Amino acid sequence: MSNATKPLEPQQRTALDEPFDPDRFFGVQAASTRDLPDPEPMLINLARCVLEVLAGARELDQMVRWVTEDVYAALLRREVLARRAREVKGVRAHRPQLAVLSTRWSSPKDGVVEGVVVVRTQVRVRAIALRLEGLDRRWRASAVNVL
């Protein structure tokens, strides 16, 4: 058997021997927690932005860079419902006055943070639960729930 027809051993294989996978190079890349900034300011800012979007004081498009497609779609549905409710009640959109009461977060695995931000508005106290994932060397929200 000549060298040309002999199969390569696993340790002799190179990246050129495998089929090209564009997602491996150009898709969303997971990031390690050590390569990402402190998540607490992101949690607080996202919680504030979500409440402002629901109040009609902020455009959801401003958050597109910081949320995944699923979160964007869920927030869009919720924004439409909030707008319709304001129209039915005859209430104008306004920027809510928010006070952050507490922030708690933990990291269940590398590159993932789950947290809750408790916020007081003029009307009530709300909790916003968020899951951040390190994608493309920045935090992005992969789950947002307003309680």
Side-chain angles (χ1 to χ4, degrees), residues 6-135:
K6 198 186 258 187
L8 293 175
E9 297 296 322
Q11 66 270 18
Q12 294 175 331
R13 293 180 188 263
T14 66
L16 297 176
D17 297 326
E18 298 174 14
F20 180 70
D21 179 15
D23 287 337
R24 183 174 166 204
F25 296 100
F26 303 111
V28 175
Q29 303 290 317
S32 175
T33 302
R34 71 177 180 280
D35 297 331
L36 298 164
D38 179 20
E40 191 162 338
M42 182 68 167
L43 290 167
I44 292 169
N45 288 332
L46 274 175
R48 182 181 305 274
C49 288
V50 166
L51 291 178
E52 289 176 354
V53 164
L54 296 179
R58 178 182 295 271
E59 293 293 326
L60 180 58
D61 291 343
Q62 294 176 3
M63 295 179 57
V64 73
R65 181 173 185 209
W66 305 111
V67 298
T68 60
E69 291 177 24
D70 293 339
V71 171
Y72 183 86
L75 287 173
L76 182 59
R77 283 190 298 275
R78 193 128 183 218
E79 177 194 28
V80 169
L81 292 173
R83 184 175 350 114
R84 287 180 185 164
R86 280 193 309 274
E87 289 171 359
V88 167
K89 293 178 184 178
V91 176
R92 286 186 354 191
H94 67 285
R95 184 167 311 280
Q97 294 179 350
L98 306 172
V100 176
L101 300 179
S102 68
T103 305
R104 301 275 189 266
W105 59 273
S106 64
S107 182
K109 68 178 194 174
D110 187 38
V112 176
V113 167
E114 294 175 343
V116 64
V117 180
V118 180
V119 178
R120 184 180 65 233
T121 65
Q122 301 96 328
V123 180
R124 66 178 113 171
V125 175
R126 301 192 86 154
I128 299 92
L130 302 121
R131 178 181 172 99
L132 302 180
E133 295 184 15
L135 303 171

